[in-house]
Amino acid sequence: MRLLLVRHGITEHNLNGQYTGQTDAPLSELGKRQIRAVGTYLAREKVDVIFSSDLQRARDTAREIAQHHHLPVLEDPDLREISMGTWEGLTPEQIRARDLEGWKYVRSDPTLHAPLGGESFAQLHERAARALKRCREQYAGQTVLWATHGGFIGATVCHALQLDPSYRHCFRHENTSITEIRFGEGLPSIERLNDTAHLRAMVEEAIVAS
């Protein structure tokens, strides 16, 4: 199976440095331009199945891509971003000001510790493993695209490479970036990581137009 992982377009929460988690934040105007760019960029790719997180920022990203392939978007709640509980909508500075002890506790081991009402990265890792297992069983030999979230992509990469979830921060995933993993016999291979060529093209076009 060939898996394309696409992070959603940028939101105002992303631009403001706020933790979004499972808050259903919409795309910003820049995010809408980004998803058009990634949709056009991926139009030349072979895609057999498209899944999306059920949060609108990922769903809108998936729909923009899907229209180029005449495919439906299948929603999967397991592809959601990690829940940040009571921290959602807040910046790190705001969290430290309101809940310094909670911040220290979670940061001491974020793999196992979670904000109040939220998930740990170990729990996110379990969701990624579950979703990946389903897709590998059902779509062997096909190209599957997931429109999802940065934290979830990091968890998926760590699971695929058999890395501890704590290594998730070693991999950066920009908004609408593309990461490609191929699964076959033996260990999977990372074919692309944080591919943002379409965003560079978008900036260059804007410069020329100005």
Side-chain angles (χ1 to χ4, degrees):
M1 185 186 80
R2 175 177 177 242
L3 179 63
L4 299 175
L5 297 150
V6 181
R7 188 183 177 196
H8 62 81
I10 204 164
T11 68
E12 293 297 335
H13 276 204
N14 297 147
L15 292 168
N16 295 332
Q18 298 165 269
Y19 284 124
T20 309
Q22 295 184 2
T23 298
D24 209 7
L27 297 173
S28 66
E29 289 304 312
L30 174 58
K32 292 174 184 177
R33 295 199 298 275
Q34 288 177 334
I35 67 171
R36 288 194 290 271
V38 75
T40 300
Y41 185 61
L42 288 172
R44 61 192 180 191
E45 301 268 357
K46 176 185 181 294
V47 178
D48 298 301
V49 185
I50 296 178
F51 282 93
S52 172
S53 153
D54 60 349
L55 299 175
Q56 64 173 318
R57 58 191 185 276
R59 186 170 59 240
D60 289 348
T61 302
R63 288 174 176 170
E64 184 65 34
I65 296 167
Q67 68 175 340
H68 294 279
H69 302 276
H70 308 291
L71 290 171
V73 173
L74 307 175
E75 294 185 22
D76 184 350
D78 268 348
L79 303 190
R80 281 185 169 205
E81 182 59 288
I82 188 170
S83 171
M84 298 302 290
T86 57
W87 290 4
E88 294 194 2
L90 302 178
T91 65
E93 293 76 16
Q94 290 171 327
I95 295 166
R96 287 193 292 269
R98 300 180 188 188
D99 184 19
L100 184 57
E101 289 306 310
W103 174 265
K104 290 178 178 178
Y105 172 73
V106 173
R107 296 295 290 179
S108 69
D109 187 357
T111 298
L112 297 178
H113 300 166
L116 182 63
E119 288 179 294
S120 68
F121 276 95
Q123 291 172 307
L124 177 66
H125 191 89
E126 289 173 4
R127 280 203 280 117
R130 186 166 63 229
L132 189 54
K133 183 175 185 291
R134 281 199 305 270
C135 277
R136 292 191 66 186
E137 289 174 348
Q138 296 178 28
Y139 303 107
Q142 298 186 58
T143 296
V144 178
L145 185 145
W146 288 356
T148 182
H149 308 266
F152 189 87
I153 295 172
T156 302
V157 170
C158 285
H159 176 71
L161 296 180
Q162 300 179 24
L163 297 173
D164 186 273
S166 62
Y167 283 92
R168 66 196 176 278
H169 291 310
C170 295
F171 307 100
R172 184 159 181 80
H173 307 287
E174 304 285 353
N175 291 96
T176 68
S177 65
I178 303 159
T179 294
E180 178 180 345
I181 310 175
R182 286 184 183 266
F183 297 90
E185 296 299 324
L187 292 174
S189 62
I190 304 294
E191 304 288 327
R192 279 186 279 184
L193 184 67
N194 197 36
D195 176 9
T196 56
H198 53 287
L199 297 183
R200 293 194 296 273
M202 188 176 78
V203 171
E204 290 166 2
E205 289 172 4
I207 291 172
V208 170
S210 65

